[in-house]
Amino acid sequence: SAVISQKPSRDICQRGTSLTIQCQVDSQVTMMFWYRQQPGQSLTLIATANQGSEATYESGFVIDKFPISRPNLTFSTLTVSNMSPEDSSIYLCSVEGDRGTYEQYFGPGTRLTVT
Amino acid sequence: LAKTTQPISMDSYEGQEVNITCSHNNIATNDYITWYQQFPSQGPRFIIQGYKTKVTNEVASLFIPADRKSSTLSLPRVSLSDTAVYYCLVGDRWSNYQLIWGAGTKLIIKP
């Protein structure tokens, strides 16, 4: 199974600023996913990031607000731009399983608070 | 896209068997069913996956009837550490890749 780390684990930011979250995987993976999870709620997919192509965003999420980079097969970043208190949430990255199943492995998440 | 419906919460006691049922009436032919477990302040963790009938691994069993419109996650002899939120997902690799998460079931195990 893949081991995923995220940085930072948590942060408190002021509105109007931007935060870049890093996701590092210990093995090469094609598909990476970025989710948002508000406290006590389920996960909402932000975008799918495949290496070598532009990220695919879900309805309600736009590249200007959540730019994503995927420079190689083990790393991705998600930036939360021009933050507002409504962006306070946990941001999770995940990768596809390595056994040809639909399993996803998740990072520990980044808890973001915007004041 | 297949949509899932689960009970919002369930209670049980240590040592009991717990069954959590998920409804997915619009499941497609190519869709698989996957269950995840999530503890507070952690990312979800894969529990089990199946397509039809019964699947068993070291931590759980998954029962899927012939019409596949529902599935039941069975946790044998639960302990306090099984207190978590359990999510049921359906989908196939080539369409939504099981990326639509329902509300999940909050399972509380009591001593």
Coordinates of all heavy atoms in Angstrom, one line a residue, chain B residues 2-33:
Chain B
A2 N -24.1 6.4 -9.6 CA -24.8 5.7 -8.5 C -24.7 6.5 -7.2 O -23.7 7.1 -6.9 CB -24.1 4.3 -8.3
K3 N -25.8 6.5 -6.5 CA -25.9 7.2 -5.3 C -26.2 6.2 -4.2 O -26.9 5.2 -4.4 CB -27.1 8.2 -5.3 CG -27.3 9.0 -4.0 CD -28.4 10.0 -4.2 CE -28.6 10.8 -2.9 NZ -29.7 11.7 -3.0
T4 N -25.6 6.5 -3.0 CA -25.7 5.5 -1.9 C -26.4 6.2 -0.8 O -26.4 7.4 -0.6 CB -24.3 5.1 -1.4 OG1 -23.6 6.2 -1.0 CG2 -23.5 4.4 -2.5
T5 N -27.1 5.3 0.0 CA -27.9 5.8 1.2 C -27.5 4.8 2.3 O -27.6 3.6 2.2 CB -29.4 5.7 0.9 OG1 -29.7 6.5 -0.2 CG2 -30.1 6.2 2.2
Q6 N -27.1 5.4 3.4 CA -26.7 4.7 4.6 C -27.4 5.3 5.8 O -27.7 6.5 5.8 CB -25.2 4.8 4.9 CG -24.3 4.3 3.8 CD -22.8 4.6 4.1 OE1 -22.2 5.3 3.3 NE2 -22.3 4.1 5.2
P7 N -27.5 4.5 6.9 CA -28.0 5.1 8.1 C -27.0 6.1 8.6 O -25.8 5.9 8.5 CB -28.1 3.9 9.1 CG -27.3 2.8 8.5 CD -27.3 3.0 7.0
I8 N -27.5 7.2 9.2 CA -26.6 8.2 9.7 C -25.8 7.8 10.8 O -24.6 8.1 10.9 CB -27.4 9.5 10.1 CG1 -28.1 10.0 8.8 CG2 -26.6 10.5 10.8 CD1 -29.0 11.2 9.1
S9 N -26.3 7.0 11.7 CA -25.6 6.5 12.9 C -26.1 5.2 13.4 O -27.2 4.8 13.1 CB -25.7 7.6 14.0 OG -27.0 7.7 14.5
M10 N -25.2 4.5 14.1 CA -25.6 3.2 14.7 C -24.8 3.1 16.0 O -23.7 3.5 16.1 CB -25.2 2.0 13.8 CG -26.0 1.9 12.5 SD -25.5 0.5 11.5 CE -25.9 -0.8 12.6
D11 N -25.4 2.4 17.0 CA -24.7 2.0 18.2 C -24.7 0.5 18.4 O -25.6 -0.2 17.9 CB -25.5 2.6 19.4 CG -25.5 4.1 19.5 OD1 -24.8 4.7 18.7 OD2 -26.2 4.7 20.3
S12 N -23.6 0.1 19.0 CA -23.5 -1.3 19.3 C -22.6 -1.5 20.6 O -22.1 -0.5 21.1 CB -23.0 -2.2 18.2 OG -23.1 -3.5 18.4
Y13 N -22.4 -2.7 21.0 CA -21.6 -3.0 22.1 C -20.4 -3.9 21.8 O -20.4 -4.7 20.8 CB -22.4 -3.7 23.2 CG -23.5 -2.8 23.8 CD1 -24.7 -2.7 23.2 CD2 -23.2 -2.0 24.9 CE1 -25.7 -1.9 23.7 CE2 -24.1 -1.1 25.4 CZ -25.4 -1.1 24.8 OH -26.3 -0.2 25.3
E14 N -19.4 -3.8 22.6 CA -18.2 -4.6 22.3 C -18.5 -6.1 22.2 O -19.4 -6.6 23.0 CB -17.2 -4.4 23.5 CG -16.4 -3.1 23.5 CD -15.3 -3.1 24.5 OE1 -15.6 -3.1 25.7 OE2 -14.1 -3.2 24.1
G15 N -17.9 -6.8 21.3 CA -18.1 -8.2 21.2 C -19.2 -8.6 20.3 O -19.4 -9.7 19.9
Q16 N -20.1 -7.6 19.9 CA -21.2 -7.9 19.0 C -20.8 -7.9 17.6 O -19.7 -7.3 17.2 CB -22.3 -6.9 19.3 CG -22.9 -6.8 20.7 CD -23.6 -8.1 21.0 OE1 -24.5 -8.6 20.3 NE2 -23.2 -8.8 22.1
E17 N -21.6 -8.4 16.7 CA -21.4 -8.3 15.3 C -22.3 -7.1 14.8 O -23.4 -7.0 15.2 CB -21.9 -9.6 14.6 CG -21.8 -9.5 13.0 CD -22.4 -10.7 12.4 OE1 -23.7 -10.8 12.2 OE2 -21.6 -11.6 12.0
V18 N -21.7 -6.3 14.0 CA -22.4 -5.1 13.5 C -22.5 -5.2 12.0 O -21.6 -5.5 11.3 CB -21.6 -3.8 13.8 CG1 -22.2 -2.6 13.1 CG2 -21.6 -3.6 15.4
N19 N -23.8 -5.0 11.6 CA -24.1 -5.0 10.1 C -24.5 -3.6 9.7 O -25.5 -3.0 10.3 CB -25.1 -6.0 9.8 CG -24.7 -7.4 10.1 OD1 -23.6 -7.8 9.7 ND2 -25.5 -8.2 10.8
I20 N -23.9 -3.0 8.7 CA -24.2 -1.7 8.2 C -24.6 -1.9 6.7 O -23.9 -2.4 5.9 CB -23.1 -0.7 8.2 CG1 -22.5 -0.6 9.7 CG2 -23.5 0.7 7.8 CD1 -21.3 0.3 9.8
T21 N -25.9 -1.5 6.4 CA -26.4 -1.7 5.1 C -26.4 -0.4 4.3 O -26.6 0.7 4.8 CB -27.8 -2.2 5.1 OG1 -27.8 -3.5 5.8 CG2 -28.4 -2.4 3.8
C22 N -26.0 -0.5 3.0 CA -26.0 0.6 2.1 C -26.9 0.3 0.9 O -26.8 -0.8 0.4 CB -24.5 0.8 1.6 SG -24.3 2.1 0.4
S23 N -27.7 1.3 0.6 CA -28.6 1.1 -0.6 C -28.0 1.8 -1.8 O -27.5 3.0 -1.7 CB -30.0 1.7 -0.3 OG -30.6 1.0 0.7
H24 N -28.0 1.2 -2.9 CA -27.5 1.8 -4.2 C -28.4 1.3 -5.3 O -27.9 0.4 -6.1 CB -26.0 1.5 -4.4 CG -25.5 0.2 -3.8 ND1 -25.7 -1.0 -4.3 CD2 -24.8 0.0 -2.6 CE1 -25.1 -1.9 -3.5 NE2 -24.6 -1.3 -2.5
N25 N -29.6 1.8 -5.4 CA -30.6 1.3 -6.3 C -30.2 1.5 -7.8 O -30.6 0.7 -8.7 CB -31.9 2.0 -6.1 CG -32.5 1.6 -4.7 OD1 -32.5 0.4 -4.4 ND2 -33.1 2.5 -4.0
N26 N -29.4 2.5 -8.1 CA -29.0 2.8 -9.4 C -27.6 2.3 -9.8 O -27.0 2.8 -10.8 CB -29.1 4.3 -9.7 CG -30.5 4.8 -9.5 OD1 -31.4 4.2 -9.9 ND2 -30.6 6.0 -8.9
I27 N -27.2 1.3 -9.1 CA -25.8 0.7 -9.4 C -25.8 0.2 -10.9 O -26.7 -0.4 -11.4 CB -25.5 -0.4 -8.4 CG1 -24.0 -0.7 -8.5 CG2 -26.4 -1.6 -8.6 CD1 -23.5 -1.6 -7.4
A28 N -24.6 0.5 -11.5 CA -24.5 0.1 -12.9 C -23.7 -1.2 -13.0 O -23.1 -1.7 -12.1 CB -23.7 1.2 -13.7
T29 N -23.8 -1.8 -14.2 CA -23.2 -3.1 -14.4 C -21.8 -3.2 -14.0 O -21.3 -4.2 -13.5 CB -23.5 -3.6 -15.8 OG1 -24.8 -3.6 -16.1 CG2 -22.9 -5.0 -16.1
N30 N -21.1 -2.1 -14.4 CA -19.6 -2.1 -14.2 C -19.2 -1.6 -12.8 O -18.0 -1.6 -12.5 CB -18.9 -1.3 -15.2 CG -19.1 -1.8 -16.6 OD1 -19.2 -3.1 -16.8 ND2 -19.1 -1.0 -17.6
D31 N -20.1 -1.3 -12.0 CA -19.8 -0.7 -10.7 C -19.4 -1.7 -9.7 O -20.0 -2.8 -9.6 CB -21.0 0.1 -10.1 CG -21.2 1.4 -10.8 OD1 -20.3 1.9 -11.6 OD2 -22.3 2.0 -10.6
Y32 N -18.4 -1.4 -8.9 CA -18.0 -2.1 -7.7 C -18.4 -1.4 -6.5 O -18.7 -0.2 -6.5 CB -16.4 -2.3 -7.7 CG -16.0 -3.5 -8.6 CD1 -16.1 -3.4 -9.9 CD2 -15.4 -4.6 -8.0 CE1 -15.6 -4.5 -10.7 CE2 -15.0 -5.7 -8.8 CZ -15.1 -5.6 -10.1 OH -14.6 -6.6 -10.9
I33 N -18.4 -2.1 -5.4 CA -18.8 -1.5 -4.1 C -17.7 -1.6 -3.2 O -17.0 -2.6 -3.0 CB -20.0 -2.3 -3.5 CG1 -21.2 -2.3 -4.5 CG2 -20.4 -1.8 -2.1 CD1 -22.2 -3.5 -4.3

